[in-house]
C-alpha cells in the first residue's frame, strides 16, 4: 500500500463507499490523511438535559419520544420536531429546513440520539429548552443504557471523547464517514512518508507527520479543543507548514529558473525619457518615480525582469509603462504593451501615439480582426524591426507574430488575462532569438490595478518582484459614492440630468448577469433604447458592449472622449483601464451583483480629473447579507488595498483567487488568511532551501523534490 493507493483497496471500503468519498474529494490514502475535520466536538462531557444551560453549546444523549411536523401560520411553514428524553428532562429539537423522508427514517421513536448544539430557551414551548438544527448522531444498539452516568464508551464510539466532524454529504452521514475514515487511517497514517527535512522541523518546532495526523484525526480526550477548532493546534501547524513550504518551494524554483534565463542589459540614461517628460502636462508622483527606478534597476541587469506593478485605479501606471518602454527603444529594442480588451488597447494606442510621433518613433496597433492586408503589413513591420512600439490585445502573442528584437513586454491589467499559467506561456512565447542566434528573454512588466493583500500576493505571485504605486496623483478629489434603491430611480435620473446640464459626462453600467453575456447585452441594449427615447431624449447617449466590432466600439469611445456623447450606456467592457478624465458620474445598475473589486474598478473610471465625481450604486432588493456588506464597504472605503482585504475576508481566499485557477497547487489544509504568519516562515524556509541547494540534490531534500514534482504536476494539468 502506498500513499497514492486508491482507498477502495482498503479493507472494508470497496467501490461504493469509495465513490461516496470521491464526492468529498477523497480518493487516495494520502487524500484521506489530509481530509481535515471541519471541527471538533468535545463529547467527553455529556450533560444531562436538566443541567444543560441555556446559551451554552452542549452534547446531550437521550431517547426519541415524539416525532412530528408542526405547521406554522406563516407562509405554510413546516417545522420538524423531535422530542428527546434522557430521564432528567425533555428537550424539543427543531428543524426549519429538512428532508422529510430522510428525517422520518432517521428519528424513529425509541432510538437513542446524541445531539450537539446551542441550548435555547423558548417560553412558549412545553419544555422550555430547545435546540435548532443541531449536529446529531443516531447511536447504535450497543450503546443501550438508561442514563449517561457511568457509561463506559467503546474505543471507537463517537461519544465520550473529542470527536472530529468531517465534511459529509447526503447519503453519507457523519457517523459512517468517521468510522470509515478510522479504518482507512489506521492503515494509512503509518505509511505516510515524512518528507520535511529534519533541520526544518527542528528549526520551526514542528511535530512529526505521524503525530500530527494522529492528533488531527484521533484527538486525545485531553486535547485542546479550542486550538483544534481554530486550526492552530500543533498538529494543524505542522500540516499547514508543510503544505505552504511545498508551495513556496515551487515558487522559489520558478524564480530560480527565471534568474537563470538570459535577458538583455540596458543602459538607462535615456534622452527619450527626458524629452517625454518635457512634454507631459504633469510631474510624476514620488511613488511613480520610485517604481520607475525599481524597474530601471532590473532593466540594467542581463537577467530578464519579471516584475508585478500594482497600483490602485488611476494611480498612473500607464506613464510608468511608457517610460520603461522608451528605455528599451533607446537601447535599440522594441517594446510591446498588451491590454485585455480592444477598447483598452485602442485607448492606449491613441494616448501614446501623439507622444511617440513627436519623438519620431513608429508605433502600431495589433488586434484580432484587422483586415488581412493591414495585418500582414503590421506583422512584417514587427518582424523587420521597423516599428518600435506595438500596442495590442492578446493578438500580440498569437502565432505568426515575430518580433525582430523585443526588449520589454508590458502586460496591462494582467489579472484580466486570467489563469496565472498563461503568464508563463506569454513569457515563453515572447522568447527571442538575438543577433548571434543566442536565445534571450525580454523583460516583462505586469501591471495590475487589483491590489492584492500581501499574504495572497506572496502565495500567488511569490516568484515575481513586486512594485507598488502607493499614492494617487495630487489634486484628486474623493469620489462621492451613494447607494440608491430601485424605487429611487427618478431621483437618480434627475441627478444625472443636472450633472450633464452642468457639463459632466456619465457612464451607466448595465448589469452583470452571471454566465450570460447575452442577457447582459439585452439589458444594456434595452436600457439604452428606453433611456434615449423615453427619459433623456434631449441628450446624446451612446452604447458600447462586447458584441460590437472594434470599429463600432472605437467610434463610440472616441465620441465619448470628445464629449459628443454625454452619457455612455455600457456593459462591463468598460470595467478596466478606460480613462476619460471629463467623465464625472458612474451609475452602476444592479450594484448588488458585482464583486467588490469590480465595483472599485468601475468607480475608478471617474474621478480622474479635477472635478468632483460621483458613483451611484443602484441596488435592487432583496439583498443578501454578503451583498449588503459589499455595498457598505464600497460606500465607506476608496482605498484599493482596504477594499481588497475586505473582499478577501468576504469571499475567502479560495474564491478570491483560487490557487488552482492561478496554476498553483491547491491548498488543502492551509488558509492563507488564518495562516499568514506561517506562510512568511514557510516562504523564508523554502527560499533558503533553494539558495542552499538549488537543484534539491542533497539526500535530505530528495523526498521533497519528489513531492514537489508530483504536486506541481497536478496543478499544471
Ligand atoms: P491606471 O493606473 O489606472 O492605469 P492611468 O495610467 O490611466 O491610471 O492614469 C490615470 C490618469 O492620471 C491619466 O489621465 C493620466 O494622464 C493621469 N496621470 C498619471 N500620472 C499623473 C501624475 N503624476 N500627475 C497627474 N496626473 C497623472
Ligand atoms: Mg491602466
Amino acid at each position: 500500500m502506498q500513499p497514492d493507493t486508491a482507498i477502495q483497496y482498503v479493507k472494508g471500503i470497496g467501490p461504493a463507499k469509495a465513490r461516496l468519498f470521491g464526492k468529498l474529494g477523497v480518493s487516495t490514502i494520502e487524500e484521506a490523511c489530509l481530509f481535515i475535520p471541519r471541527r471538533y466536538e468535545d463529547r467527553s462531557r455529556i450533560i444531562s438535559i436538566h443541567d444543560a444551560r441555556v446559551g451554552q453549546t452542549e452534547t446531550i444523549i437521550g431517547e426519541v419520544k415524539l416525532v412530528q411536523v408542526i405547521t406554522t401560520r406563516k407562509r405554510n411553514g413546516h417545522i420538524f420536531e423531535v422530542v428527546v428524553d434522557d430521564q432528567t428532562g425533555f428537550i424539543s429539537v427543531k428543524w426549519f429546513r429538512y428532508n422529510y423522508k430522510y428525517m422520518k427514517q432517521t428519528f424513529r421513536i425509541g432510538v437513542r440520539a446524541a445531539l450537539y448544539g446551542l441550548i435555547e430557551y423558548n417560553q412558549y414551548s412545553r419544555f422550555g429548552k430547545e435546540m435548532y438544527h443541531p449536529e446529531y448522531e443516531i447511536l447504535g444498539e450497543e450503546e443501550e443504557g438508561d442514563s449517561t452516568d457511568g457509561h463506559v464508551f467503546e474505543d471507537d464510539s463517537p461519544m465520550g471523547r473529542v470527536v472530529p466532524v468531517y465534511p459529509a454529504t447526503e447519503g453519507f452521514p457523519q457517523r459512517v464517514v468517521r468510522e470509515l475514515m478510522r479504518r482507512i487511517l489506521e492503515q494509512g497514517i503509518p505509511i505516510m512518508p515524512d518528507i520535511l527535512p529534519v533541520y526544518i522541523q527542528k528549526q520551526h518546532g514542528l511535530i512529526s507527520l505521524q503525530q500530527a495526523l494522529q492528533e488531527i484525526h484521533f484527538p486525545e480526550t485531553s486535547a485542546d479543543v479550542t486550538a483544534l477548532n481554530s486550526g492552530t493546534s500543533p498538529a494543524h501547524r505542522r500540516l499547514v507548514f508543510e503544505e505552504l513550504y511545498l508551495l513556496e518551494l515551487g515558487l522559489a524554483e520558478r524564480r530560480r529558473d527565471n534568474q537563470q534565463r538570459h535577458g538583455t542589459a540596458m543602459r538607462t540614461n535615456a534622452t527619450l525619457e527626458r524629452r517625454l517628460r518635457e512634454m507631459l502636462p504633469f510631474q510624476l508622483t514620488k511613488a511613480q518615480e520610485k517604481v520607475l527606478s525599481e524597474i530601471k534597476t532590473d532593466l540594467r541587469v542581463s537577467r530578464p525582469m519579471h516584475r508585478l506593478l500594482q497600483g490602485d485605479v488611476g494611480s498612473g501606471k500607464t506613464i510608468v509603462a511608457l517610460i520603461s518602454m522608451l528605455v528599451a527603444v533607446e537601447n535599440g529594442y522594441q517594446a510591446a504593451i498588451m491590454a485585455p480588451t480592444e477598447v483598452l488597447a485602442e485607448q492606449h494606442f491613441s494616448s501614446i501615439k501623439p507622444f511617440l510621433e513627436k519623438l519620431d518613433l513608429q508605433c502600431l496597433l495589433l488586434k484580432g480582426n484587422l483586415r488581412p492586408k493591414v495585418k500582414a503589413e503590421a506583422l512584417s513591420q514587427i518582424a523587420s524591426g521597423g516599428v518600435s512600439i506595438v500596442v495590442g490585445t492578446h493578438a500580440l502573442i498569437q502565432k505568426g507574430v515575430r518580433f525582430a528584437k523585443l526588449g520589454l513586454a508590458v502586460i496591462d491589467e494582467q489579472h484580466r488575462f486570467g489563469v496565472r499559467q498563461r503568464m508563463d506561456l506569454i513569457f515563453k512565447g515572447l522568447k527571442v532569438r538575438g543577433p548571434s542566434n543566442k536565445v534571450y528573454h525580454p523583460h516583462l512588466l505586469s501591471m495590475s490595478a487589483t491590489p492584492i493583500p500581501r499574504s495572497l500576493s506572496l502565495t500567488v505571485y511569490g516568484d515575481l518582484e513586486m512594485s507598488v504605486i502607493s499614492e494617487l496623483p495630487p489634486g484628486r478629489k474623493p469620489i462621492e459614492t451613494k447607494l440608491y434603491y430601485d424605487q429611487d430611480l427618478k431621483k437618480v435620473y434627475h441627478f444625472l440630468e443636472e450633472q450633464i446640464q452642468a457639463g459632466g459626462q456619465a457612464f451607466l453600467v448595465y448589469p452583470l448577469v452571471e454566465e450570460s453575456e447575452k442577457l447582459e447585452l439585452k439589458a444594456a441594449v434595452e436600457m439604452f433604447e428606453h433611456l434615449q427615447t423615453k427619459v433623456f431624449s434631449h441628450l446624446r447617449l451612446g452604447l458600447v458592449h462586447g458584441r460590437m466590432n472594434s470599429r463600432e466600439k472605437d467610434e463610440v469611445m472616441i465620441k465619448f472622449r470628445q464629449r459628443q456623447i454625454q452619457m455612455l450606456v455600457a456593459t462591463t467592457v468598460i470595467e478596466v483601464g478606460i480613462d476619460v478624465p471629463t467623465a464625472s458620474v458612474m451609475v452602476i445598475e444592479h450594484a448588488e451583483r458585482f464583486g467588490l473589486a469590480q465595483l472599485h474598478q468601475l468607480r475608478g473610471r471617474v474621478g480622474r480629473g479635477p472635478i468632483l465625481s460621483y458613483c451611484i450604486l443602484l441596488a435592487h432588493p432583496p439583498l443578501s447579507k454578503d451583498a449588503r456588506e459589499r455595498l457598505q464597504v464600497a460606500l465607506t472605503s476608496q482605498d484599493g488595498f482596504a477594499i481588497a482585504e475586505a473582499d478577501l475576508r468576504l469571499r475567502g481566499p479560495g474564491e478570491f483567487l483560487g490557487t488552482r485557477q492561478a496554476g498553483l497547487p491547491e491548498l488543502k489544509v492551509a488558509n492563507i488568511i488564518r495562516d499568514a504568519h506561517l506562510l512568511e516562515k514557510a516562504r523564508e524556509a523554502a527560499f533558503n532551501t533553494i539558495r542552499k541547494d538549488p537543484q534539491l540534490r542533497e539526500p535530505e531534500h530528495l523526498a521533497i523534490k519528489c513531492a514537489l514534482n508530483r504536486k506541481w504536476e497536478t496543478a499544471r494539468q
Side-chain angles (χ1 to χ4, degrees), residues 282-285 288 311-319 413 473-474 476 577 579 581 608:
F282 51 75
Q283 295 218 311
L284 294 200
T285 62
Q288 284 170 315
D312 208 346
V313 279
S315 60
K317 293 182 291 293
T318 319
I319 191 69
E413 308 286 355
R476 292 273 167 83
D579 184 37
R608 307 193 139 229

Side-chain angles (χ1 to χ4, degrees), residues 206-317:
L206 301 170
I207 60 177
S208 76
L209 179 69
Q210 260 70 30
Q211 199 186 338
L213 291 174
Q214 197 67 36
E215 287 175 18
I216 284 271
H217 295 287
F218 309 107
E220 301 272 338
T221 312
S222 59
D224 180 348
V225 183
T226 318
L228 282 171
N229 271 327
S230 60
T232 54
S233 71
H236 282 90
R237 239 177 76 89
R238 153 70 209 225
L239 299 182
V240 167
F241 191 96
E242 176 172 326
E243 184 167 59
L244 293 175
Y245 176 73
L246 278 177
L247 174 76
E248 292 298 325
L249 211 50
L251 291 171
E253 278 196 317
R254 278 196 191 179
R255 175 130 117 180
R256 174 204 67 204
D257 291 347
N258 188 27
Q259 289 181 338
Q260 285 167 349
R261 292 187 173 125
H262 294 288
T264 56
M266 298 179 178
R267 286 187 316 275
T268 56
N269 46 346
T271 31
L272 285 177
E273 172 181 349
R274 194 174 38 76
R275 287 171 59 199
L276 174 75
R277 280 177 186 258
E278 281 163 9
M279 290 185 248
L280 289 179
F282 51 75
Q283 295 218 311
L284 294 200
T285 62
K286 267 209 207 83
Q288 284 170 315
E289 295 288 4
K290 179 166 155 280
V291 304
L292 195 57
S293 78
E294 287 166 355
I295 292 169
K296 285 181 180 171
T297 308
D298 289 354
L299 295 180
R300 283 195 286 268
V301 184
S302 67
R303 211 193 303 127
M305 167 173 81
H306 201 168
R307 185 173 283 277
L308 176 65
L309 171 55
Q310 290 184 63
D312 208 346
V313 279
S315 60
K317 293 182 291 293

Side-chain angles (χ1 to χ4, degrees), residues 39-43 45 47 52-61 91-95 114-121 129-137 159 165:
R39 56 187 188 79
Y40 296 82
E41 282 172 16
D42 187 355
R43 295 189 188 166
R45 227 172 67 92
I47 200 108
R53 289 224 310 274
V54 173
Q56 297 286 100
T57 303
E58 306 279 17
T59 307
I60 58 169
I61 293 184
I91 190 165
S92 152
V93 186
K94 291 177 174 166
W95 283 263
L115 302 154
Y116 174 84
L118 186 66
I119 309 290
E120 311 244 15
Y121 184 77
K129 287 176 187 168
E130 299 197 333
M131 266 179 166
Y132 309 123
H133 287 256
E135 293 273 337
Y136 60 84
E137 221 166 292
M159 287 295 140
V165 180

